[in-house]
Amino acid sequence: MKKQKSWSGRFAKAANKLSEEFNASIGFDVRLFAHDIRGSIAHATVLCDAGIITKQESKKIITGLKKVESQLARGIFTPGAECEDIHMAVESRLAELIGALAGKLHTGRSRNDQVALDIRLYLRDEIKSILSALNKFKGALLTLAEANIDVIMPGYTHLQRAQPVLLAHHLLAYYEMFCRDTSRLTDCLARFDEMPLGAGALAGSPYKLDRKLAARLLGFSRVTANSMDSVSDRDFAIEFLSAASVMVLHFSRLSEELVLWSSQEFAFVEIAEEFSTGSSIMPQKKNHDIAELTRGKTGRVYGNLMSLLTLMKGLPLAYNKDMQEDKEPLFDTVDTLRAILDVYAPMMESLRFNGATTLTATKKGFLNATDAADYLVNKGLPFREAHRVVGRVVRLCIDKGVDLEGLTMKEWRVFSPLFGVDIKEAISIEKSLKSRRIAGGTAPGNVLKALKKAKKELALEAKKVVL
Ligand code: ARG
């Protein structure tokens, strides 16, 4: 016999098959089953507390719900399109297991506040697990920085060699970005820490349900303030997708650098074979698909954010079925982030930097020209003038095919009498690095301190993320 829909009372005709399939979300929202059941168990407890169902009935419903959960988890119950969505699938299975009593569970509740709850519960779990994976990755980044603390490399602007920096300083720049990602996700979590049940379809439930009890049972700090907002709001999902977009943007930039640095043109770094791939035609190739794919996946994460923003922009209050389309972009983003985080941490640990090559690169391209200008400034010349003088010195070096180090004292002095023998030391890479002791600068002492501070903070942060 064909199952009756829970809303079939008003209908004389059964649903068209194509319409039923078009309407169904069970194909993807089945993933919410554990959260849906957790919400239903809390709701049954609240119904009992309000005297709407007896203690015995609540017990029976809860036992039944747990059974449905285990059947879904083990693949014994595999709901199809006839169930429409996860909420109706759970309810109809519950009815098969415990009979008509199951029909009392939906008292004072609508799928609109139910789904608003489920997504919050789901996203809360996922964000916590993403935060913990992100911490692991950040740990790998710090280990890499520490292991290469002596590596000197060219810092770039416009992808042109600019000034010497420590590789660890460069890596710690990413650490700062990923810390802001942690902070954005944490903020997002705190903002949607609100329990929507009790909103009903849109106007609020007419039953005396203790919303605070539901919030406590489900681990929320507070209840939502407005029933219409409770069922209409997807800001929290948009906020997550936006934080996720910024995070993958950071991974994409790091990936781009790894692709560049591992090329023969740079040869700054070696990515381990375990994290590389070959070519089906060119036997010599070792490609860095993990980094490239990460860069590529950024597109779909941005796309998911755009989908949800566009989905929501024209919707009148309160719930509209359009909102069923919120889930796939959300799930896809969660999956993508998890996959990137999981593979990236061990890949980072596998990197081997070539300090000799990065040092040689730092010596070519006049990266110490600014230091020469600063030397003149220290001797009293206005910076603009000093810039011009050193510009002319560089011009001569280019014409002669030498570095600044290749000039004789006599040649220096042609450009300014302020140049003394100490210019040689002033333009050394070591001096250049050491001189940047300003807060946030690349001086080795600074970088060491920053690394220590980061390690301490990360250890504290890791304790905060409770799963
Ligand atoms: N599957 C629906 C969704 O994901 C659940 C809410 C349905 N509400 C309704 N009034 N039809 O949005």
Side-chain angles (χ1 to χ4, degrees), residues 25 29 84-85 87 111-112 115 319 321 323-324 327:
S25 54
D29 68 12
E84 196 171 320
D85 57 26
H87 325 294
R111 277 186 293 159
N112 300 350
V115 74
Y319 176 83
K321 187 73 171 211
M323 289 157 78
Q324 179 164 286
K327 284 164 212 61

Side-chain angles (χ1 to χ4, degrees), residues 36-37 39-42 44 60-70 90-91 94 97-98 105:
D36 190 76
I37 288 173
S40 284
I41 289 175
K60 232 176 144 186
I61 289 175
I62 291 172
T63 311
L65 283 168
K66 286 184 178 160
K67 198 155 184 196
V68 178
E69 182 176 11
S70 123
V90 170
E91 194 182 317
L94 184 66
L97 293 175
I98 68 168
L105 176 62

Side-chain angles (χ1 to χ4, degrees), residues 252 255 289-301 336 340:
S252 189
S255 299
D289 294 11
I290 305 280
E292 290 173 40
L293 264 178
T294 299
R295 196 176 52 190
K297 282 176 190 292
T298 304
R300 67 198 286 165
V301 175
T336 305
I340 292 175

